[in-house]
Amino acid sequence: MYSLSANYLAGHVDEVLELAGSDEILVTLDSSDNLMILKESTWRSLQDIVHLFATSVNAERLQQSLQQVRAEYLVEAVVE
């Protein structure tokens, strides 16, 4: 993750956008909350995860599904 000041960002937008293509960028501000710049695909993935875990029922069902998958594919090795 990169960290930049808002003043730097204002003068180097093209460079910042190039960095955002490969990593997240933290823009530090003097007077308020900081900002994050990240790829749209990353943002959409995060929103999907938030939606999936938005309710305790969904979260519990996802956990149960993961446990079922693990039970099917993870078996103890037999050592002879």
Side-chain angles (χ1 to χ4, degrees):
M1 176 173 61
Y2 297 95
S3 180
L4 306 170
S5 71
N7 290 334
Y8 181 87
L9 174 65
H12 297 86
V13 172
D14 291 336
E15 181 183 343
V16 169
L17 292 176
E18 186 176 326
L19 292 173
S22 62
D23 207 349
E24 299 87 19
I25 299 172
L26 174 66
V27 180
T28 56
L29 303 173
D30 294 334
S31 60
S32 63
D33 290 337
N34 296 329
L35 304 172
M36 286 295 295
I37 299 175
L38 57 139
K39 293 187 286 186
E40 181 182 3
S41 60
T42 302
W43 170 253
R44 291 189 184 280
S45 295
L46 291 171
Q47 291 301 305
D48 288 344
I49 292 168
V50 167
H51 175 74
L52 289 172
F53 286 93
T55 66
S56 59
V57 172
N58 268 0
E60 186 175 322
R61 287 180 182 162
L62 288 169
Q63 290 295 331
Q64 289 172 352
S65 295
L66 284 172
Q67 288 173 352
Q68 289 174 351
V69 168
R70 288 180 182 140
E72 289 178 28
Y73 292 103
L74 297 178
V75 294
E76 287 187 39
V78 177
V79 179
E80 296 181 16

